[in-house]
Amino acid sequence: MTLDHRQPPGYQWKAPDSARFLLVPAPGGLTMTQGTSTGRDEPSFHEPVLVSEVAEVFKPLTSGVVVDATFGGGGHTRRLLEEMAERIRIVGIDRDPDAIANAAGLERETDRVTVLTGNFGEMRHLLDRAGVTAPVGFLFDLGVSSHQFDQAERGFSYRHDGPLDMRMGPDATLTADEIVNQWTRSELTSLIRRFGEDKVAGRIADAIVANRPITSTGHLAQVVADATPAALRRRGHPARRTFQAIRIAVNEELSALTRGLEDALDLLAPQGRCAVISYHSLEDRIVKRRFAEGARGCTCPPDLPVCACGGGQELRLLTRRPIEPTAEEVAANPRARSARLRAAEKSAATTTEGSRP
Ligand SMILES: C[S@@+](CC[C@H](N)C(=O)[O-])C[C@H]1O[C@@H](n2cnc3c(N)ncnc32)[C@H](O)[C@@H]1O
């Protein structure tokens, strides 16, 4: 993987050692006061959601490697180790250098955890390189961590003023600044409509183009708020959907999910388990469809006269409906509100060949 070290104005990716990168204010750059980016052992790096429910999914596994494809603050990894430490080894993945830096503490505590820097969209390549074959579990806890969201200089939040960045890691090839200040009106409209599912995408795109150059996240949030009709402003922050859309595009989140999930289900050992926590309907739809397809049995095209796939069911659904957080969890951690957990088990008989057309 080639790391692209482009940086937002006033910030730079720094490498304290060869494997770790931190986004820090450049000398003479923007002066932000919202905390540091070291991420090391911060107690509030991220509050993991649906932790017990995730642990329940993986508990029946006997032994092997579980891949935590979105390591973040390592909350799920820690819980799985508490429940199953004698039986499993965890290979974490994260594309964010802050999460990798944060993982170093846990890697020092136990030899049962290894964390890889990379994009789970390249799952097969990452695991091949690390010599991991046939994991017994995969966990995807999608989206951004609280650490990323709360660091103004990362540019994810409409609540803080920071640079228009939104890259989860330096491997992303786009920044929010390029989208906001260079994309055409029609490209912006379609982005905000598709990935933000915003009814007034055209109005917002018009306002963005009219207010260029847009210089920061605070500026963008204000432009979007001003362009949003009063009647729609009551449903949460008016810029939430636009920020979501830009973030998805910058990080190519949906294509990474489609590829990563496909690799995970293919690589998963027979009777291995895959769990995905999604936070909006675009993510959840991808997971729901892929799991349903795997649980359907014969996957041959309908015009094929004879079944060529063996008719075997690839997956057994462990959650017919997505599991949602309890009211208590949402009260304690409001960011859990939109979380939806789906899980599936790979069939005993499934082989990599023959189960899918
Ligand atoms: C919601 S947080 C995960 C929190 C984690 N489960 C915990 O308990 O702390 C999502 C994490 O996944 C990472 N991430 C999102 N998409 C990714 C991708 N395509 N490849 C690798 N990491 C990704 C983000 O950088 C972030 O650190």
Side-chain angles (χ1 to χ4, degrees):
M1 185 185 63
T2 317
L3 290 180
D4 175 355
H5 294 159
R6 283 172 322 135
Q7 57 227 10
Y11 284 82
Q12 62 190 12
W13 293 99
K14 274 212 153 172
D17 62 53
S18 58
R20 313 197 187 285
F21 293 86
L22 308 172
L23 187 61
V24 297
L30 295 180
T31 44
M32 290 286 174
T33 53
Q34 290 87 344
T36 69
S37 301
T38 66
R40 286 180 198 278
D41 297 329
E42 286 172 22
S44 60
F45 195 97
H46 183 79
E47 186 67 42
V49 311
L50 293 168
V51 198
S52 307
E53 293 81 352
V54 165
E56 282 303 309
V57 169
F58 292 112
K59 244 191 223 163
L61 297 175
T62 47
S63 65
V65 170
V66 173
V67 176
D68 180 348
T70 49
F71 182 83
H76 285 109
T77 283
R78 279 182 188 277
R79 178 60 179 266
L80 292 179
L81 284 176
E82 276 164 32
E83 301 265 351
M84 313 162 69
E86 301 315 311
R87 291 179 278 144
I88 58 165
R89 212 160 61 73
I90 297 200
V91 173
I93 297 174
D94 208 294
R95 66 191 291 193
D96 184 349
D98 282 2
I100 299 298
N102 182 63
L106 186 55
E107 284 174 308
R108 275 192 300 272
E109 272 173 47
T110 169
D111 60 2
R112 307 196 80 83
V113 176
T114 310
V115 183
L116 312 172
T117 309
N119 186 329
F120 64 59
E122 314 299 327
M123 183 77 79
R124 184 180 295 278
H125 172 68
L126 284 170
L127 296 185
D128 270 0
R129 240 185 16 186
V132 178
T133 50
V136 294
F138 280 91
L139 169 65
F140 295 81
D141 177 18
L142 302 170
V144 285
S145 66
S146 300
H147 174 80
Q148 290 165 326
F149 197 72
D150 293 339
Q151 300 280 302
E153 68 265 32
R154 302 295 300 265
F156 286 107
S157 173
Y158 41 78
R159 296 190 193 283
H160 305 299
D161 198 26
L164 286 164
D165 188 346
M166 298 199 200
R167 290 172 301 159
M168 286 185 187
D171 62 311
T173 52
L174 254 183
T175 63
D177 185 73
E178 285 169 64
I179 293 177
V180 169
N181 286 310
Q182 291 174 29
W183 282 23
T184 63
R185 180 201 177 273
S186 89
E187 285 169 332
L188 284 170
T189 306
S190 119
L191 172 76
I192 298 165
R193 187 171 295 136
R194 273 183 68 208
F195 291 168
E197 299 182 294
D198 200 315
K199 290 193 184 107
V200 289
R203 279 176 73 142
I204 294 171
D206 279 341
I208 290 175
V209 171
N211 283 281
R212 283 171 174 169
I214 295 184
T215 53
S216 69
T217 50
H219 187 183
L220 176 62
Q222 192 58 52
V223 167
V224 176
D226 291 346
T228 305
L232 298 181
R233 276 190 225 147
R234 277 179 237 115
R235 301 176 313 167
H237 195 291
R240 187 180 61 80
R241 289 167 181 273
T242 299
F243 272 65
Q244 171 184 298
I246 296 171
R247 196 198 83 201
I248 290 175
V250 165
N251 296 290
E252 297 180 273
E253 289 178 38
L254 300 182
S255 62
L257 172 59
T258 304
R259 285 181 283 121
L261 190 57
E262 199 56 49
D263 277 357
L265 296 176
D266 203 19
L267 294 168
L268 198 60
Q271 291 181 301
R273 293 183 162 205
C274 179
V276 187
I277 304 174
S278 54
Y279 293 86
H280 53 76
S281 57
L282 299 165
E283 292 171 340
D284 186 50
R285 206 171 298 148
I286 291 172
V287 181
K288 181 180 170 182
R289 284 195 181 149
R290 182 59 189 85
F291 281 1
E293 185 190 314
R296 209 172 45 217
C298 175
T299 52
C300 292
D303 55 347
L304 211 64
V306 181
C307 170
C309 72
Q313 220 180 2
E314 180 197 20
L315 301 174
R316 179 170 73 91
L317 298 184
L318 299 171
T319 50
R320 294 234 154 251
R321 293 177 175 282
I323 296 175
E324 301 183 9
T326 59
E328 292 76 40
E329 176 166 5
V330 174
N333 177 14
R335 284 182 183 168
R337 191 183 309 110
S338 52
R340 301 286 177 271
L341 169 66
R342 292 186 188 270
E345 182 180 85
K346 191 153 168 177
S347 302
T350 303
T351 58
T352 3
E353 255 93 34
S355 62
R356 297 180 42 68

